[in-house]
Amino acid sequence: MTATRTPGLPVVEDGLLISTSPATGAEAGRVPVADLAAVAAAMRRARIAAAWWAGLGFDERKVRLLRWRALLAERVEELAALTHLETGKPEADAIVEALAAIEHTDWAARNAKRVLGPRRVKSRLVVAEHAGHLEYQPYGVVGVIGPWNYPILTPLGPIGGALAAGNAVVFKPSEYTPAVGQWLVDTFAEIVPEQPVLQAVHGLGDVGALLCRSGVNKLAFTGSTATAKKVMAACAETLTPVIIEAGGKDALIVDADADVAAAAEAAVWGSMTNAGQTCIGIERAYAVASVYDAFVAAVVEKAGKLKVGEEIGPITMPGQIDIIRRHIDDALAAGGRAVLGGAEAVQPPHVSPTVLVDVPETSSAIREETFGPTLTITKVADADEAVAKANALPYGLGGAVFGKANGIRIARRLRAGMVAVNSTLTFVGVATLPFGGVGDSGFGRIHGEDGLREFGRAKAITVRRGPSLLPAMTFERTPAQVQRIVKTLKLLYARRP
Ligand code: NDP
């Protein structure tokens, strides 16, 4: 039976989900597949765990989360080896991924109390007798659905935020990376054995759909735009709020005054790391005419040196190969040229670095998420044309700008949730900054203060501390008091600026 398995393609046998290495076909892990009853049971346990976890308070949770963070750091090689086995990505890339995840977990643990904890809020003159109190209370149970391409970092963003905010989490890892997902859950249970505060439910997409309908109080989804729509539709049935982190087609702009060598280095990293299977991967570059030739030459030179099978791992999801091949073929058929790689670059399970030029903006290689080690480079007259082209797609996740005088100005104009100036992808590792997209790339934020606030409901409390000067909200107000309200209102607000 094992001999007929496609490397990397997960199978379900005897109620177990078995994942395999896309490079070798070696088994990566096996976990039980959840059904409706199992998801419901996980939810019942999670409700009890959520009450216990919330009751611990910020300080106790912080200690436990920092202990977990320490465990993740201590055993990072083990986690990276498992991630390498299950996704095919180089271990060094898995270490970098884990570093970012650990960074976010640490920051969320340390800052949750400050960002979400109870605080006094100044009230205004007309209600001066009431003190304002604000706090962000946990939702209860948060569902997290994650993809396979960054199986440590993408779930740990929402999981870390949700846990720090005081929620329990039920996590559905991608069917391609259940072993990494289970490892995260098991290590958390080593640190927090009292209650199943973080649980996993495994299976194919239908288990994700079950989780959407399970009664979770909020759901954080990371995956494709198409699945995001299904998730939202399922969550709409119960008015369950969602965060959507979906796909992208991120652009890099190289302005006339850019450091071309640095731009090329970053473009190659941004487009080829993780074999291009990166939601915020650079898939399109727009270089102004004066630097175009030098930029193309530098990218080709650097990308051509990458070693397939070492720096460029296999394509994790076997089905993705067909999409990458179609995009390359489409680009070439429409008049594009491969200045590196090309149709013959697709040698399953690997795709070698491919750089395409002269590709029409209507081509699927420009318009659709490729998720492979490919990059299109387009010549533009100036930064304005680059911005217009970069912004022309429904996606709006991340992006990058290389340039000196106008880098930040151009970054502001990009229709994207995050932009790196003079680097690529770096915003994902900055724990103090929010992460998330616009348009087809989703909404809601993970990471940073905005990310923490997604996992707490704002709770407003007023406390009366004296008699009302302007007793507006009572049937017992007198006509004279109403006159006083009118006078005050006009004094405060009738003056036009
Ligand atoms: P999918 O959308 O195919 O799957 C994402 C998750 O949803 C998986 O766990 C999947 O389970 C599950 N799922 C599938 N069908 C349903 C359903 N009907 N209801 C609920 N859950 C379901 O995405 P991929 O795993 O292929 O991930 C790649 C995509 O993720 C790319 O588009 C990429 O850009 C995006 N992404 C976005 C990021 C961001 O932060 N914006 C970060 C990383 C990736 P199963 O795997 O078992 O089918």
Side-chain angles (χ1 to χ4, degrees):
M1 187 173 267
T2 312
T4 60
R5 282 187 198 151
T6 305
L9 200 63
V11 290
V12 175
E13 282 174 16
D14 303 326
L16 293 175
L17 173 65
I18 303 166
S19 63
T20 55
S21 159
T24 64
E27 184 173 318
R30 48 179 66 206
V31 291
V33 173
D35 56 11
L36 178 62
V39 174
M43 275 304 294
R44 280 196 297 276
R45 289 192 296 271
R47 289 246 173 272
I48 297 164
W52 174 78
W53 183 244
L56 286 182
F58 287 105
D59 294 337
E60 285 292 317
R61 288 197 297 269
K62 174 180 166 183
V63 172
R64 286 164 172 80
L65 284 167
L66 291 180
R67 282 190 197 135
W68 186 39
R69 177 224 57 197
L71 179 153
L72 296 175
E74 283 157 19
R75 287 165 61 181
V76 70
E77 292 94 344
E78 180 189 329
L79 177 58
L82 182 60
T83 306
H84 164 66
L85 177 63
E86 203 168 41
T87 66
K89 76 172 65 185
E91 280 189 37
D93 286 353
I95 299 260
V96 173
E97 180 186 344
L99 169 67
I102 289 167
E103 180 71 15
H104 287 295
T105 307
D106 182 78
W107 189 88
R110 290 181 189 281
N111 289 278
K113 185 176 182 179
R114 176 181 63 79
V115 176
L116 306 175
R119 81 180 80 129
R120 289 283 293 273
V121 178
K122 265 196 180 158
S123 44
R124 307 238 303 172
L125 190 62
V126 288
V127 284
E129 73 278 17
H130 297 280
H133 294 251
L134 172 62
E135 64 191 74
Y136 293 81
Q137 296 182 340
Y139 278 83
V141 181
V142 169
V144 173
I145 297 179
W148 47 266
N149 61 338
Y150 287 85
I152 312 166
L153 177 60
T154 53
L156 272 191
I159 287 173
L163 292 175
N167 304 278
V169 172
V170 180
F171 167 37
K172 152 69 177 76
S174 165
E175 72 203 59
Y176 289 87
T177 52
V180 173
Q182 191 60 47
W183 191 94
L184 295 172
V185 168
D186 290 345
T187 53
F188 186 82
E190 283 181 35
I191 301 296
V192 183
E194 299 95 327
Q195 288 283 342
V197 174
L198 173 62
Q199 300 176 75
V201 289
H202 294 286
L204 310 186
D206 58 316
V207 178
L210 288 176
L211 185 59
C212 296
R213 298 189 167 95
S214 66
V216 288
N217 302 104
K218 184 154 189 172
L219 192 118
F221 171 84
T222 308
S224 65
T225 307
T227 308
K229 292 177 185 174
K230 294 185 196 161
V231 164
M232 273 190 80
C235 287
E237 293 167 15
T238 46
L239 226 57
T240 302
V242 290
I243 301 170
I244 299 290
E245 296 290 348
K249 187 74 182 174
D250 291 0
L252 174 147
I253 293 175
V254 191
D255 203 5
D257 60 352
D259 176 338
V260 172
E265 181 194 341
V268 172
W269 164 258
S271 60
M272 314 276 168
T273 183
N274 204 28
Q277 306 163 107
T278 305
C279 53
I280 48 168
I282 299 295
E283 299 209 355
R284 306 173 283 156
Y286 295 99
V288 301
S290 57
V291 292
Y292 174 83
D293 288 337
F295 177 67
V296 171
V299 167
V300 168
E301 195 251 326
K302 288 175 196 295
K305 284 189 193 150
L306 295 175
K307 291 185 208 71
V308 176
E310 290 176 39
E311 288 146 306
I312 305 290
I315 299 305
T316 304
M317 202 167 59
Q320 192 67 26
I321 298 262
D322 293 333
I323 296 172
I324 300 168
R325 186 187 287 116
R326 176 167 62 80
H327 288 188
I328 296 174
D329 290 349
D330 270 9
L332 299 177
R337 286 184 298 123
V339 285
L340 182 71
E344 65 286 0
V346 183
Q347 304 284 342
H350 291 96
V351 176
S352 48
T354 290
V355 179
L356 300 161
V357 296
D358 300 338
V359 182
E361 292 297 294
T362 48
S363 166
S364 59
I366 296 270
R367 300 195 63 83
E368 297 171 24
E369 190 176 43
T370 306
F371 242 47
T374 65
L375 177 68
T376 63
I377 309 181
T378 303
K379 190 192 289 187
V380 288
D382 52 26
D384 287 347
E385 185 187 348
V387 169
K389 288 199 154 85
N391 286 349
L393 298 187
Y395 285 124
L397 191 53
V401 179
F402 273 77
K404 295 189 182 81
N406 295 314
I408 296 180
R409 264 191 286 275
I410 296 168
R412 288 210 176 96
R413 292 169 60 201
L414 282 180
R415 182 177 162 276
M418 300 84 51
V419 182
V421 177
N422 295 330
S423 71
T424 48
L425 321 188
T426 33
F427 41 74
V428 73
V430 182
T432 45
L433 282 176
F435 183 97
V438 303
D440 275 10
S441 296
F443 52 82
R445 295 293 181 263
I446 55 172
H447 303 168
E449 295 191 4
D450 297 273
L452 275 176
R453 280 192 205 101
E454 293 278 1
F455 297 107
R457 291 189 181 103
K459 178 73 168 274
I461 300 172
T462 61
V463 179
R464 182 173 206 141
R465 52 187 175 189
S468 297
L469 297 174
L470 301 168
M473 294 196 184
T474 169
F475 287 117
E476 293 175 19
R477 66 200 166 200
T478 63
Q481 285 170 328
V482 173
Q483 275 315 307
R484 201 155 74 221
I485 291 171
V486 171
K487 245 193 215 157
T488 313
L489 187 155
K490 291 200 169 168
L491 196 71
L492 286 174
Y493 301 120
R495 212 172 342 112
R496 296 184 188 199

